[in-house]
Amino acid sequence: MKILDRLKPIAKPIALTTFMVVALLLRSHSAEAQNIETLTVAGGCFWCVESDFESVPGVIEALSGYTGGTNSNPTYGDVGKGGTGHYEAVEITFDPKQIGRAQLLDMFLRSVVPTDAGGQFCDRGDTYRTAIFVSNKGEKALAEQALTKAQKDLGQKIVTPVLAATVFYRAEDYHQDYYKGSKLVFTRFGPKRQAAAYKRYRKACGRDARVAQLWGDAAPFAKGH
């Protein structure tokens, strides 16, 4: 009997087993993907919002980008010039089994100055305003509850709007994970690695000092900077 003939009876069970394993893996991956959710917020400089939320257990990824405007495929230059209607925003991907949307919303509002309608910290203008973007009635209700709670805790009028989600445009590659980048960049502080430049910018902009002043111990990210 030829060797190939001997292998035929064995090959079929092996192929079937392999198929079943692959099918189970694909089903598992699909189930995990269905459990993943996203929250899109605008909180001033997207480097800072991305840095903050990527430190949160249960957050899988935070992407810097642009949303809320009318221009398709905007660039950083386009948005910076104004007139596009886009916000600097961050799309937060999270596992709801580990952290809930309501908790993330509470953290977001206490990491910004939601009483400021003109921008955030040293960054002024429409691009840097705060906002929460929602895709359905359930998300809208949670966002409104978070705003009501934050306003009650703060004792000041909050102006952060809840807006209908539009297309989220991923920002250029060099903006992603800027806070931990190692590329050499030229800044007003001189040549710096991205991570060092980011720290200098964040401190000079007064983000953490202002958030700590406004929210005190309720500020989730200001203490570590």
Side-chain angles (χ1 to χ4, degrees), residues 40-60:
T40 302
V41 294
C45 167
F46 50 23
W47 297 342
C48 298
V49 179
E50 180 185 349
S51 169
D52 286 344
F53 281 91
E54 285 197 340
S55 70
V56 177
V59 169
I60 297 165

Side-chain angles (χ1 to χ4, degrees), residues 158-195:
I158 285 178
V159 297
T160 300
V162 177
L163 303 175
T166 56
V167 179
F168 179 86
Y169 296 97
R170 188 181 188 277
E172 295 84 344
D173 287 344
Y174 68 88
H175 286 300
Q176 308 303 328
D177 293 328
Y178 190 94
Y179 70 98
K180 57 184 178 183
S182 59
K183 290 183 179 179
L184 190 66
V185 293
F186 293 92
T187 73
R188 60 191 174 111
F189 309 110
K192 299 285 181 186
R193 297 293 176 186
Q194 281 182 341

Side-chain angles (χ1 to χ4, degrees), residues 83-134:
T84 66
H86 284 295
Y87 293 71
E88 277 199 12
V90 172
E91 184 182 73
I92 302 164
T93 303
F94 65 99
D95 182 350
K97 291 182 179 179
Q98 296 185 52
I99 188 165
R101 182 178 299 271
Q103 186 177 350
L104 288 172
L105 286 166
D106 286 346
M107 294 176 77
F108 166 67
L109 289 169
R110 288 157 184 77
S111 68
V112 294
V113 181
T115 58
D116 188 347
Q120 286 293 288
F121 315 103
C122 66
D123 295 315
R124 313 309 301 165
D126 291 351
T127 302
Y128 299 103
R129 292 171 296 165
T130 60
I132 299 169
F133 298 90
V134 298

Side-chain angles (χ1 to χ4, degrees), residues 149-161:
K149 180 181 175 183
Q151 183 162 294
K152 181 179 179 181
D153 290 348
L154 191 59
Q156 299 181 40
K157 183 179 179 181
I158 285 178
V159 297
T160 300

